[in-house]
Amino acid sequence: MSAIYAAMDALLPFEWASYTFMKNALLAMLLITPLFGVLGTMAVDNKMAFFSDALGHSALTGIALGVVLGVSNQQASMLVFGIAWALLITRIKQRNTASADTIISVFSSTSVALGLVILARGGAFAKYSGYLVGDILAVTPQDLLALAVALAGTLLVWAYVFNPLLLTSVNASLAGSRGVRARAVEYVFVVLVAVTVMLSIRWVGMLLINSLLILPAAASRNVAKNAAWYIRLSVAFALFSGVAGLLGSYYLNTSAGAAVVLVAAAIYFITLPLRRK
Amino acid sequence: MSEQTTHASCGLCRIEVEGLSVVRDGQTLLHDVGLHVHCGELTALIGTNGAGKTTLIRALLGEIPFTGTVRHLTQDGKPAAAVRTGYVPQQLEFDHSSPVTVMDFMTASLSRRAVWLGVSKRARREALEALSRTDCERLSDRRLGALSGGELQRVLLALALRPQPDLLILDEPVSGVDQNGLESFYQTVAALRAHNHMAVLLVSHDLDVVRRYADHVVLMQGTVLCQGRPKEVFESPEFGQVFYARGNEA
């Protein structure tokens, strides 16, 4: 870690870079944003914006369950709950019993309410309100390691599941006729999204995390000419928003997560008129 | 053209479906369906909405459980390898504003390397070769969502032909393809089945198309009501009952 800090000191002779918390926050942005840029493309293509939003909200229940069960590591209980939640919703969605958005909405509101009831008992909710907006300046080297592992793992899995996922997003029966196990592919994808969301929610915040997933991909599809550029630009927009938002928040002394999302939104609106017909 | 197309059709190999039934949630969707689809022939499935045409296709694709047998027999009546199925779905409900191009779609299906890592020259060549079989190489850099219904059908057909299937299943779009597009699509299919070693099973809603292009027609209504040459089926009492007695169109 000290080698990385030393390199950053040499490369970034700025006032903000002299603080360790800013160095950590910058590193966190460089790890989190590509994850969201990559996963966002297929989340948008599969019309999962609402799903990922609800997934973020379910983090609250994950924390609450951790508290009830006495799990000291909230991250772990959130992660387990998030994955289980994502798999459950996907399973129900695949059974096609009612319209997907209704199902997601029912689960989402139930899980938020359950989380609030448990966490707010005895007036203790203030302790957890940080999850709502997130605080990237609190990232520790240990968290950075977890994020780095998540990024490496996601890219590796992404190399295998992208083609099947693309086919499935066009037509599941067609994918099936070509030997793609469409359901399994969908499960892998939602688990990736769940892990990414749950690992980043403490830094980005429950209210904003979905924008970080959707905005860079949405901006990218305004200008990308094919699938490869779709992902590349999405990652580039996410990275730029992350770094610009972090520095902007430092100089304006405001919330980093919100500033990141505003930059991403600005990119979206700038690219909107360039939209390909 | 690929090397696989050099096989002439023998007309003897066949896919045999026998006693196929599908029961879901206690409801019988298909009952004792039996039909033979011969290579070199275009077999059309007709029937009203809810007759079980789509259910049969989903069973043949292995998407839903069924009882009964589906066998692939060689010209001397011996069982051949498992049936390799090519599938052209109905109009797709995908995200039409996604930047995925025809080339992305083809290479994602034909090669293992993730499309976002870039498309290799070899994969590109293979995709173009596949597209050329249905005359749509020129569409390769267009977005999938920007294609007309007819163009999309040709791209999907090109994909279904690679690798060469034993059974090609075409689920005709109910709407979205103009008459000219439909006409040239079936001309391509007719040429393919004549020159290739494969059977074609078509679900059609357009009885005029069926009359002109099908070699064999299967009229369905939960089971097979009647089958034979187009003329025989169209003149059968069952056909009259299904399509005229109830004032239904296909």
Side-chain angles (χ1 to χ4, degrees), chain A residues 44-45 47 155 158-159 162-163 166-167 169-174 177-178 220-221 224-228 230-232 275-277, chain B residues 61 63 85 87 89 92 94-95 97-101 104-105 107-116 143-144 156 159 162-163:
Chain A
V44 171
D45 273 23
K47 302 197 169 54
L155 289 180
W158 203 239
F162 184 75
N163 288 2
L166 186 83
L167 267 191
S169 78
V170 173
N171 185 287
S173 294
L174 175 68
S177 80
R178 305 196 64 83
S220 173
R221 64 197 269 140
K225 62 179 183 354
N226 59 33
Y230 186 18
I231 296 221
R232 287 174 201 158
R275 205 171 172 141
R276 291 153 44 90
K277 294 286 172 319
Chain B
L61 287 172
E63 273 188 31
T85 312
Y87 175 54
L92 307 176
F94 63 96
D95 181 350
S97 51
S98 170
V100 171
T101 64
D104 292 329
F105 174 67
T107 47
S109 317
L110 297 172
S111 94
R112 286 180 150 279
R113 176 163 151 181
V115 169
W116 59 274
R143 279 190 306 110
L144 207 56
L156 293 171
L159 182 61
R162 185 60 73 96

Short mmCIF file of all heavy atoms in Angstrom, two decimals, chain A residues 44-45 47 155 158-159 162-163 166-167 169-174 177-178 220-221 224-228 230-232 275-277, chain B residues 61 63 85 87 89 92 94-95 97-101 104-105 107-116 143-144 156 159 162-163:
data_model
loop_
_atom_site.label_atom_id
_atom_site.label_comp_id
_atom_site.label_asym_id
_atom_site.label_seq_id
_atom_site.Cartn_x
_atom_site.Cartn_y
_atom_site.Cartn_z
N VAL A 44 -28.93 -2.09 -18.53
CA VAL A 44 -29.78 -1.23 -19.35
C VAL A 44 -30.43 -2.05 -20.46
O VAL A 44 -31.64 -1.95 -20.70
CB VAL A 44 -28.97 -0.06 -19.94
CG1 VAL A 44 -29.79 0.71 -20.96
CG2 VAL A 44 -28.50 0.87 -18.84
N ASP A 45 -29.66 -2.88 -21.15
CA ASP A 45 -30.20 -3.67 -22.26
C ASP A 45 -31.32 -4.61 -21.81
O ASP A 45 -32.24 -4.89 -22.55
CB ASP A 45 -29.10 -4.49 -22.94
CG ASP A 45 -28.41 -3.69 -24.02
OD1 ASP A 45 -28.48 -2.45 -23.93
OD2 ASP A 45 -27.83 -4.28 -24.93
N LYS A 47 -33.31 -4.00 -19.38
CA LYS A 47 -34.33 -3.20 -18.69
C LYS A 47 -34.38 -3.53 -17.20
O LYS A 47 -35.43 -3.85 -16.65
CB LYS A 47 -35.69 -3.43 -19.32
CG LYS A 47 -35.71 -3.09 -20.79
CD LYS A 47 -37.12 -2.92 -21.30
CE LYS A 47 -37.16 -2.32 -22.68
NZ LYS A 47 -36.34 -3.05 -23.68
N LEU A 155 -14.46 -8.97 -14.21
CA LEU A 155 -13.94 -8.92 -15.58
C LEU A 155 -13.72 -10.33 -16.13
O LEU A 155 -13.99 -10.61 -17.29
CB LEU A 155 -12.65 -8.10 -15.64
CG LEU A 155 -12.85 -6.60 -15.45
CD1 LEU A 155 -11.51 -5.87 -15.52
CD2 LEU A 155 -13.81 -6.03 -16.49
N TRP A 158 -17.02 -11.81 -16.80
CA TRP A 158 -17.61 -11.05 -17.91
C TRP A 158 -17.11 -11.54 -19.26
O TRP A 158 -17.83 -11.51 -20.25
CB TRP A 158 -17.30 -9.58 -17.72
CG TRP A 158 -18.26 -8.65 -18.41
CD1 TRP A 158 -17.94 -7.72 -19.36
CD2 TRP A 158 -19.67 -8.51 -18.20
NE1 TRP A 158 -19.06 -7.05 -19.75
CE2 TRP A 158 -20.13 -7.52 -19.06
CE3 TRP A 158 -20.58 -9.16 -17.37
CZ2 TRP A 158 -21.47 -7.14 -19.13
CZ3 TRP A 158 -21.92 -8.79 -17.43
CH2 TRP A 158 -22.34 -7.78 -18.30
N ALA A 159 -15.87 -11.98 -19.27
CA ALA A 159 -15.30 -12.48 -20.52
C ALA A 159 -16.02 -13.75 -20.96
O ALA A 159 -16.15 -14.03 -22.14
CB ALA A 159 -13.81 -12.75 -20.35
N PHE A 162 -20.46 -12.71 -21.32
CA PHE A 162 -20.98 -11.60 -22.12
C PHE A 162 -21.71 -12.07 -23.37
O PHE A 162 -22.85 -11.66 -23.62
CB PHE A 162 -19.89 -10.60 -22.51
CG PHE A 162 -20.44 -9.41 -23.24
CD1 PHE A 162 -21.13 -8.43 -22.57
CD2 PHE A 162 -20.32 -9.31 -24.62
CE1 PHE A 162 -21.68 -7.35 -23.24
CE2 PHE A 162 -20.87 -8.24 -25.31
CZ PHE A 162 -21.54 -7.25 -24.61
N ASN A 163 -21.10 -12.96 -24.15
CA ASN A 163 -21.75 -13.41 -25.39
C ASN A 163 -23.09 -14.11 -25.11
O ASN A 163 -24.10 -13.75 -25.73
CB ASN A 163 -20.82 -14.33 -26.18
CG ASN A 163 -19.68 -13.56 -26.82
OD1 ASN A 163 -19.57 -12.35 -26.63
ND2 ASN A 163 -18.84 -14.24 -27.57
N LEU A 166 -25.60 -11.51 -24.10
CA LEU A 166 -26.03 -10.70 -25.24
C LEU A 166 -27.12 -11.43 -26.02
O LEU A 166 -28.16 -10.88 -26.36
CB LEU A 166 -24.83 -10.42 -26.14
CG LEU A 166 -25.08 -9.46 -27.30
CD1 LEU A 166 -24.95 -8.04 -26.82
CD2 LEU A 166 -24.10 -9.71 -28.41
N LEU A 167 -26.87 -12.73 -26.30
CA LEU A 167 -27.84 -13.53 -27.04
C LEU A 167 -29.15 -13.65 -26.27
O LEU A 167 -30.22 -13.51 -26.84
CB LEU A 167 -27.29 -14.95 -27.23
CG LEU A 167 -26.53 -15.25 -28.49
CD1 LEU A 167 -26.31 -16.74 -28.61
CD2 LEU A 167 -27.34 -14.77 -29.68
N SER A 169 -30.32 -11.60 -24.14
CA SER A 169 -31.05 -10.33 -24.10
C SER A 169 -31.80 -10.10 -25.40
O SER A 169 -32.78 -9.39 -25.44
CB SER A 169 -30.10 -9.16 -23.78
OG SER A 169 -29.38 -8.80 -24.94
N VAL A 170 -31.35 -10.71 -26.50
CA VAL A 170 -32.08 -10.57 -27.76
C VAL A 170 -33.27 -11.54 -27.78
O VAL A 170 -34.39 -11.14 -28.07
CB VAL A 170 -31.16 -10.84 -28.97
CG1 VAL A 170 -31.96 -10.87 -30.26
CG2 VAL A 170 -30.08 -9.77 -29.06
N ASN A 171 -33.05 -12.79 -27.44
CA ASN A 171 -34.16 -13.75 -27.37
C ASN A 171 -33.72 -15.01 -26.62
O ASN A 171 -32.79 -15.69 -27.05
CB ASN A 171 -34.62 -14.09 -28.78
CG ASN A 171 -35.85 -14.99 -28.77
OD1 ASN A 171 -35.76 -16.17 -28.46
ND2 ASN A 171 -36.99 -14.43 -29.08
N ALA A 172 -34.41 -15.29 -25.54
CA ALA A 172 -33.99 -16.41 -24.69
C ALA A 172 -34.15 -17.76 -25.39
O ALA A 172 -33.30 -18.63 -25.26
CB ALA A 172 -34.78 -16.39 -23.37
N SER A 173 -35.22 -17.92 -26.17
CA SER A 173 -35.42 -19.20 -26.87
C SER A 173 -34.34 -19.41 -27.92
O SER A 173 -33.83 -20.51 -28.10
CB SER A 173 -36.78 -19.23 -27.56
OG SER A 173 -37.80 -19.21 -26.62
N LEU A 174 -34.02 -18.34 -28.61
CA LEU A 174 -32.97 -18.41 -29.61
C LEU A 174 -31.65 -18.80 -28.95
O LEU A 174 -30.93 -19.68 -29.42
CB LEU A 174 -32.82 -17.05 -30.32
CG LEU A 174 -31.69 -16.95 -31.31
CD1 LEU A 174 -31.96 -17.82 -32.51
CD2 LEU A 174 -31.51 -15.51 -31.77
N SER A 177 -31.67 -22.39 -28.14
CA SER A 177 -31.49 -23.28 -29.29
C SER A 177 -30.03 -23.35 -29.70
O SER A 177 -29.62 -24.23 -30.44
CB SER A 177 -32.35 -22.81 -30.47
OG SER A 177 -31.75 -21.74 -31.15
N ARG A 178 -29.22 -22.42 -29.22
CA ARG A 178 -27.79 -22.44 -29.53
C ARG A 178 -26.97 -22.92 -28.33
O ARG A 178 -25.78 -22.63 -28.22
CB ARG A 178 -27.32 -21.06 -29.98
CG ARG A 178 -28.12 -20.54 -31.17
CD ARG A 178 -27.45 -19.42 -31.86
NE ARG A 178 -26.19 -19.81 -32.47
CZ ARG A 178 -26.08 -20.39 -33.66
NH1 ARG A 178 -27.15 -20.61 -34.37
NH2 ARG A 178 -24.90 -20.71 -34.13
N SER A 220 -23.43 6.02 -22.89
CA SER A 220 -22.63 5.32 -23.89
C SER A 220 -23.48 4.89 -25.07
O SER A 220 -23.08 4.98 -26.22
CB SER A 220 -21.94 4.12 -23.26
OG SER A 220 -21.31 3.34 -24.24
N ARG A 221 -24.67 4.40 -24.79
CA ARG A 221 -25.48 3.91 -25.91
C ARG A 221 -25.98 5.04 -26.80
O ARG A 221 -26.41 4.80 -27.92
CB ARG A 221 -26.62 3.01 -25.44
CG ARG A 221 -27.62 3.70 -24.58
CD ARG A 221 -28.44 2.68 -23.85
NE ARG A 221 -29.61 2.31 -24.57
CZ ARG A 221 -30.08 1.06 -24.67
NH1 ARG A 221 -29.49 0.08 -24.14
NH2 ARG A 221 -31.16 0.79 -25.29
N ALA A 224 -22.29 5.04 -28.85
CA ALA A 224 -21.50 3.87 -29.25
C ALA A 224 -22.00 3.31 -30.58
O ALA A 224 -23.19 3.33 -30.86
CB ALA A 224 -21.60 2.80 -28.18
N LYS A 225 -21.05 2.83 -31.40
CA LYS A 225 -21.48 2.30 -32.69
C LYS A 225 -21.56 0.78 -32.69
O LYS A 225 -22.14 0.19 -33.61
CB LYS A 225 -20.55 2.78 -33.81
CG LYS A 225 -19.10 2.33 -33.65
CD LYS A 225 -18.32 2.86 -34.86
CE LYS A 225 -16.95 2.48 -34.92
NZ LYS A 225 -15.91 2.01 -34.59
N ASN A 226 -21.01 0.13 -31.69
CA ASN A 226 -21.18 -1.32 -31.57
C ASN A 226 -20.97 -1.76 -30.12
O ASN A 226 -20.72 -0.92 -29.25
CB ASN A 226 -20.24 -2.07 -32.52
CG ASN A 226 -18.78 -1.76 -32.25
OD1 ASN A 226 -18.40 -1.52 -31.11
ND2 ASN A 226 -17.98 -1.74 -33.30
N ALA A 227 -21.07 -3.07 -29.90
CA ALA A 227 -21.04 -3.57 -28.52
C ALA A 227 -19.72 -3.28 -27.82
O ALA A 227 -19.68 -2.94 -26.64
CB ALA A 227 -21.33 -5.07 -28.51
N ALA A 228 -18.60 -3.39 -28.55
CA ALA A 228 -17.30 -3.16 -27.93
C ALA A 228 -17.19 -1.71 -27.45
O ALA A 228 -16.76 -1.45 -26.32
CB ALA A 228 -16.19 -3.50 -28.91
N TYR A 230 -19.66 0.26 -26.83
CA TYR A 230 -20.69 0.43 -25.81
C TYR A 230 -20.05 0.24 -24.43
O TYR A 230 -20.17 1.09 -23.54
CB TYR A 230 -21.77 -0.62 -26.07
CG TYR A 230 -23.01 -0.56 -25.21
CD1 TYR A 230 -23.36 0.58 -24.50
CD2 TYR A 230 -23.86 -1.67 -25.15
CE1 TYR A 230 -24.52 0.61 -23.75
CE2 TYR A 230 -25.02 -1.65 -24.40
CZ TYR A 230 -25.35 -0.51 -23.70
OH TYR A 230 -26.50 -0.49 -22.96
N ILE A 231 -19.30 -0.84 -24.28
CA ILE A 231 -18.67 -1.13 -22.99
C ILE A 231 -17.51 -0.18 -22.73
O ILE A 231 -17.38 0.38 -21.64
CB ILE A 231 -18.21 -2.59 -22.96
CG1 ILE A 231 -19.44 -3.49 -23.04
CG2 ILE A 231 -17.36 -2.87 -21.72
CD1 ILE A 231 -19.42 -4.68 -22.17
N ARG A 232 -16.68 0.03 -23.73
CA ARG A 232 -15.51 0.91 -23.52
C ARG A 232 -15.94 2.30 -23.09
O ARG A 232 -15.40 2.87 -22.14
CB ARG A 232 -14.71 1.02 -24.82
CG ARG A 232 -13.94 -0.23 -25.16
CD ARG A 232 -13.31 -0.10 -26.53
NE ARG A 232 -13.01 -1.42 -27.06
CZ ARG A 232 -12.86 -1.69 -28.34
NH1 ARG A 232 -12.98 -0.73 -29.25
NH2 ARG A 232 -12.57 -2.90 -28.74
N ARG A 275 -27.38 11.15 -30.22
CA ARG A 275 -27.98 9.84 -30.33
C ARG A 275 -28.11 9.39 -31.78
O ARG A 275 -28.58 10.12 -32.62
CB ARG A 275 -29.36 9.90 -29.71
CG ARG A 275 -29.81 8.60 -29.24
CD ARG A 275 -31.07 8.76 -28.45
NE ARG A 275 -31.50 7.40 -28.21
CZ ARG A 275 -32.04 7.01 -27.07
NH1 ARG A 275 -32.23 7.84 -26.12
NH2 ARG A 275 -32.37 5.76 -26.93
N ARG A 276 -27.66 8.14 -32.00
CA ARG A 276 -27.75 7.59 -33.36
C ARG A 276 -29.18 7.17 -33.67
O ARG A 276 -29.88 6.67 -32.84
CB ARG A 276 -26.84 6.36 -33.46
CG ARG A 276 -25.38 6.72 -33.39
CD ARG A 276 -24.59 5.55 -32.84
NE ARG A 276 -25.04 4.31 -33.45
CZ ARG A 276 -24.51 3.82 -34.55
NH1 ARG A 276 -23.53 4.42 -35.14
NH2 ARG A 276 -24.96 2.69 -35.05
N LYS A 277 -29.53 7.42 -34.91
CA LYS A 277 -30.90 7.06 -35.32
C LYS A 277 -31.01 5.55 -35.52
O LYS A 277 -30.10 4.92 -35.96
CB LYS A 277 -31.26 7.77 -36.62
CG LYS A 277 -31.35 9.27 -36.48
CD LYS A 277 -32.60 9.69 -35.74
CE LYS A 277 -32.67 11.16 -35.39
NZ LYS A 277 -31.47 11.78 -34.93
N LEU B 61 -37.69 -27.70 -29.07
CA LEU B 61 -36.47 -26.99 -28.71
C LEU B 61 -35.96 -27.41 -27.35
O LEU B 61 -34.90 -26.97 -26.90
CB LEU B 61 -36.72 -25.47 -28.70
CG LEU B 61 -36.88 -24.78 -30.06
CD1 LEU B 61 -37.32 -23.34 -29.87
CD2 LEU B 61 -35.58 -24.84 -30.85
N GLU B 63 -37.39 -26.72 -24.51
CA GLU B 63 -37.63 -25.69 -23.50
C GLU B 63 -38.64 -26.10 -22.46
O GLU B 63 -38.64 -25.59 -21.35
CB GLU B 63 -38.14 -24.41 -24.16
CG GLU B 63 -37.06 -23.51 -24.64
CD GLU B 63 -37.63 -22.20 -25.11
OE1 GLU B 63 -38.67 -21.75 -24.58
OE2 GLU B 63 -37.04 -21.62 -26.01
N THR B 85 -30.89 -28.60 -34.02
CA THR B 85 -31.99 -27.72 -34.39
C THR B 85 -31.51 -26.29 -34.61
O THR B 85 -30.74 -25.75 -33.83
CB THR B 85 -33.03 -27.71 -33.25
OG1 THR B 85 -33.29 -29.05 -32.88
CG2 THR B 85 -34.31 -27.06 -33.70
N TYR B 87 -33.08 -22.41 -35.17
CA TYR B 87 -34.35 -21.80 -34.79
C TYR B 87 -34.39 -20.33 -35.21
O TYR B 87 -33.47 -19.57 -34.90
CB TYR B 87 -34.53 -21.94 -33.28
CG TYR B 87 -35.73 -21.26 -32.71
CD1 TYR B 87 -37.00 -21.51 -33.21
CD2 TYR B 87 -35.60 -20.36 -31.66
CE1 TYR B 87 -38.11 -20.88 -32.67
CE2 TYR B 87 -36.71 -19.73 -31.11
CZ TYR B 87 -37.97 -20.00 -31.63
OH TYR B 87 -39.06 -19.38 -31.10
N PRO B 89 -36.72 -17.34 -34.42
CA PRO B 89 -37.89 -16.98 -33.61
C PRO B 89 -38.79 -15.98 -34.32
O PRO B 89 -38.40 -15.38 -35.32
CB PRO B 89 -37.27 -16.36 -32.36
CG PRO B 89 -35.90 -15.94 -32.75
CD PRO B 89 -35.48 -16.79 -33.91
N LEU B 92 -38.79 -10.32 -32.49
CA LEU B 92 -38.15 -10.31 -31.18
C LEU B 92 -38.52 -9.07 -30.38
O LEU B 92 -38.62 -7.99 -30.92
CB LEU B 92 -36.64 -10.34 -31.36
CG LEU B 92 -36.11 -11.47 -32.22
CD1 LEU B 92 -34.63 -11.33 -32.40
CD2 LEU B 92 -36.46 -12.79 -31.58
N PHE B 94 -36.61 -7.39 -28.28
CA PHE B 94 -35.38 -6.96 -27.61
C PHE B 94 -35.33 -5.44 -27.58
O PHE B 94 -36.22 -4.77 -28.10
CB PHE B 94 -34.15 -7.56 -28.30
CG PHE B 94 -33.97 -7.10 -29.72
CD1 PHE B 94 -33.13 -6.06 -30.01
CD2 PHE B 94 -34.67 -7.71 -30.76
CE1 PHE B 94 -32.96 -5.62 -31.32
CE2 PHE B 94 -34.51 -7.28 -32.06
CZ PHE B 94 -33.66 -6.23 -32.34
N ASP B 95 -34.29 -4.92 -26.98
CA ASP B 95 -34.15 -3.48 -26.82
C ASP B 95 -33.62 -2.88 -28.13
O ASP B 95 -32.46 -3.01 -28.46
CB ASP B 95 -33.17 -3.23 -25.66
CG ASP B 95 -32.97 -1.76 -25.41
OD1 ASP B 95 -33.44 -0.95 -26.22
OD2 ASP B 95 -32.35 -1.44 -24.39
N SER B 97 -32.94 0.04 -29.08
CA SER B 97 -31.99 1.16 -29.12
C SER B 97 -30.61 0.75 -28.63
O SER B 97 -29.71 1.57 -28.51
CB SER B 97 -32.54 2.34 -28.31
OG SER B 97 -32.93 1.90 -27.04
N SER B 98 -30.41 -0.53 -28.35
CA SER B 98 -29.09 -0.99 -27.93
C SER B 98 -28.10 -0.89 -29.10
O SER B 98 -28.46 -1.13 -30.24
CB SER B 98 -29.19 -2.43 -27.46
OG SER B 98 -27.90 -2.95 -27.27
N PRO B 99 -26.85 -0.52 -28.82
CA PRO B 99 -25.87 -0.37 -29.91
C PRO B 99 -25.35 -1.69 -30.46
O PRO B 99 -24.38 -1.69 -31.21
CB PRO B 99 -24.72 0.42 -29.26
CG PRO B 99 -25.06 0.62 -27.84
CD PRO B 99 -26.29 -0.15 -27.51
N VAL B 100 -25.96 -2.80 -30.13
CA VAL B 100 -25.49 -4.09 -30.63
C VAL B 100 -25.72 -4.19 -32.14
O VAL B 100 -26.83 -3.99 -32.62
CB VAL B 100 -26.24 -5.23 -29.91
CG1 VAL B 100 -25.94 -6.57 -30.55
CG2 VAL B 100 -25.86 -5.24 -28.45
N THR B 101 -24.65 -4.46 -32.89
CA THR B 101 -24.78 -4.55 -34.34
C THR B 101 -25.03 -5.99 -34.77
O THR B 101 -24.90 -6.92 -33.97
CB THR B 101 -23.49 -4.08 -35.04
OG1 THR B 101 -22.44 -4.97 -34.67
CG2 THR B 101 -23.12 -2.65 -34.66
N ASP B 104 -21.94 -7.89 -34.08
CA ASP B 104 -21.83 -8.26 -32.66
C ASP B 104 -22.69 -9.48 -32.37
O ASP B 104 -22.26 -10.43 -31.70
CB ASP B 104 -22.33 -7.12 -31.76
CG ASP B 104 -21.43 -5.91 -31.80
OD1 ASP B 104 -20.22 -6.08 -31.99
OD2 ASP B 104 -21.94 -4.78 -31.65
N PHE B 105 -23.91 -9.42 -32.87
CA PHE B 105 -24.87 -10.49 -32.61
C PHE B 105 -24.38 -11.81 -33.20
O PHE B 105 -24.43 -12.85 -32.53
CB PHE B 105 -26.21 -10.08 -33.23
CG PHE B 105 -27.27 -11.12 -33.17
CD1 PHE B 105 -27.82 -11.52 -31.96
CD2 PHE B 105 -27.73 -11.71 -34.34
CE1 PHE B 105 -28.81 -12.49 -31.92
CE2 PHE B 105 -28.72 -12.67 -34.30
CZ PHE B 105 -29.25 -13.06 -33.10
N THR B 107 -21.22 -12.67 -34.09
CA THR B 107 -19.99 -13.18 -33.49
C THR B 107 -20.22 -13.62 -32.04
O THR B 107 -19.58 -14.56 -31.58
CB THR B 107 -18.83 -12.15 -33.55
OG1 THR B 107 -19.33 -10.89 -33.13
CG2 THR B 107 -18.28 -12.03 -34.96
N ALA B 108 -21.17 -12.97 -31.36
CA ALA B 108 -21.47 -13.41 -30.00
C ALA B 108 -22.03 -14.84 -30.03
O ALA B 108 -21.85 -15.61 -29.10
CB ALA B 108 -22.48 -12.48 -29.34
N SER B 109 -22.71 -15.17 -31.13
CA SER B 109 -23.29 -16.51 -31.23
C SER B 109 -22.30 -17.53 -31.76
O SER B 109 -22.37 -18.70 -31.41
CB SER B 109 -24.49 -16.49 -32.18
OG SER B 109 -25.29 -15.38 -31.95
N LEU B 110 -21.41 -17.09 -32.63
CA LEU B 110 -20.55 -18.05 -33.32
C LEU B 110 -19.19 -18.24 -32.65
O LEU B 110 -18.54 -19.25 -32.88
CB LEU B 110 -20.33 -17.61 -34.78
CG LEU B 110 -21.60 -17.56 -35.64
CD1 LEU B 110 -21.31 -16.93 -36.99
CD2 LEU B 110 -22.17 -18.95 -35.82
N SER B 111 -18.75 -17.27 -31.87
CA SER B 111 -17.43 -17.46 -31.27
C SER B 111 -17.48 -17.30 -29.75
O SER B 111 -18.43 -16.74 -29.20
CB SER B 111 -16.42 -16.49 -31.89
OG SER B 111 -16.33 -15.32 -31.13
N ARG B 112 -16.48 -17.83 -29.11
CA ARG B 112 -16.47 -17.83 -27.65
C ARG B 112 -15.92 -16.52 -27.09
O ARG B 112 -16.24 -16.12 -25.99
CB ARG B 112 -15.60 -18.98 -27.14
CG ARG B 112 -16.27 -20.32 -27.30
CD ARG B 112 -15.37 -21.42 -26.79
NE ARG B 112 -16.15 -22.53 -26.27
CZ ARG B 112 -16.70 -22.57 -25.08
NH1 ARG B 112 -16.54 -21.58 -24.26
NH2 ARG B 112 -17.39 -23.61 -24.69
N ARG B 113 -15.05 -15.91 -27.87
CA ARG B 113 -14.39 -14.72 -27.36
C ARG B 113 -15.41 -13.59 -27.15
O ARG B 113 -16.19 -13.28 -28.05
CB ARG B 113 -13.34 -14.28 -28.38
CG ARG B 113 -12.65 -13.01 -28.02
CD ARG B 113 -11.40 -12.89 -28.83
NE ARG B 113 -11.08 -11.50 -29.04
CZ ARG B 113 -10.04 -11.11 -29.74
NH1 ARG B 113 -9.26 -12.00 -30.31
NH2 ARG B 113 -9.79 -9.84 -29.88
N ALA B 114 -15.38 -13.00 -25.95
CA ALA B 114 -16.36 -11.98 -25.62
C ALA B 114 -16.29 -10.84 -26.63
O ALA B 114 -15.21 -10.35 -26.95
CB ALA B 114 -16.13 -11.45 -24.21
N VAL B 115 -17.44 -10.42 -27.10
CA VAL B 115 -17.51 -9.40 -28.15
C VAL B 115 -16.87 -8.09 -27.69
O VAL B 115 -16.28 -7.37 -28.48
CB VAL B 115 -18.98 -9.18 -28.55
CG1 VAL B 115 -19.13 -7.96 -29.43
CG2 VAL B 115 -19.50 -10.41 -29.28
N TRP B 116 -16.94 -7.79 -26.41
CA TRP B 116 -16.39 -6.51 -25.94
C TRP B 116 -14.87 -6.48 -25.97
O TRP B 116 -14.25 -5.43 -25.86
CB TRP B 116 -16.92 -6.14 -24.55
CG TRP B 116 -16.62 -7.13 -23.47
CD1 TRP B 116 -17.35 -8.23 -23.15
CD2 TRP B 116 -15.52 -7.11 -22.53
NE1 TRP B 116 -16.78 -8.89 -22.08
CE2 TRP B 116 -15.67 -8.23 -21.68
CE3 TRP B 116 -14.45 -6.25 -22.32
CZ2 TRP B 116 -14.78 -8.50 -20.65
CZ3 TRP B 116 -13.56 -6.53 -21.30
CH2 TRP B 116 -13.73 -7.64 -20.47
N ARG B 143 -27.12 -1.56 -36.76
CA ARG B 143 -27.59 -1.98 -35.45
C ARG B 143 -28.73 -2.97 -35.63
O ARG B 143 -29.57 -2.80 -36.52
CB ARG B 143 -28.09 -0.79 -34.64
CG ARG B 143 -26.98 0.01 -33.98
CD ARG B 143 -27.53 1.02 -33.00
NE ARG B 143 -28.52 1.89 -33.59
CZ ARG B 143 -29.81 1.85 -33.29
NH1 ARG B 143 -30.25 0.99 -32.40
NH2 ARG B 143 -30.67 2.66 -33.86
N LEU B 144 -28.76 -3.97 -34.78
CA LEU B 144 -29.80 -4.99 -34.85
C LEU B 144 -31.19 -4.34 -34.75
O LEU B 144 -32.12 -4.71 -35.45
CB LEU B 144 -29.60 -5.97 -33.69
CG LEU B 144 -30.10 -7.39 -33.85
CD1 LEU B 144 -29.51 -8.04 -35.08
CD2 LEU B 144 -29.75 -8.19 -32.61
N LEU B 156 -31.48 -13.64 -38.74
CA LEU B 156 -31.77 -14.75 -37.83
C LEU B 156 -31.67 -16.08 -38.57
O LEU B 156 -31.20 -17.08 -38.02
CB LEU B 156 -33.16 -14.59 -37.22
CG LEU B 156 -33.31 -13.40 -36.28
CD1 LEU B 156 -34.77 -13.20 -35.90
CD2 LEU B 156 -32.48 -13.61 -35.02
N LEU B 159 -28.07 -17.03 -39.01
CA LEU B 159 -27.51 -17.58 -37.78
C LEU B 159 -27.99 -19.02 -37.55
O LEU B 159 -27.21 -19.90 -37.17
CB LEU B 159 -27.91 -16.70 -36.59
CG LEU B 159 -27.35 -17.15 -35.25
CD1 LEU B 159 -25.84 -17.15 -35.26
CD2 LEU B 159 -27.87 -16.27 -34.13
N ARG B 162 -26.05 -21.83 -39.13
CA ARG B 162 -24.67 -22.06 -38.74
C ARG B 162 -24.63 -22.51 -37.30
O ARG B 162 -25.00 -21.70 -36.45
CB ARG B 162 -23.89 -20.76 -38.96
CG ARG B 162 -22.43 -20.85 -38.73
CD ARG B 162 -21.77 -21.83 -39.62
NE ARG B 162 -21.65 -21.40 -40.99
CZ ARG B 162 -20.59 -20.83 -41.52
NH1 ARG B 162 -19.55 -20.59 -40.77
NH2 ARG B 162 -20.55 -20.52 -42.79
N PRO B 163 -24.24 -23.71 -36.92
CA PRO B 163 -23.89 -24.79 -37.84
C PRO B 163 -25.13 -25.34 -38.54
O PRO B 163 -26.24 -25.18 -38.05
CB PRO B 163 -23.28 -25.84 -36.92
CG PRO B 163 -23.91 -25.61 -35.60
CD PRO B 163 -24.16 -24.14 -35.52
#
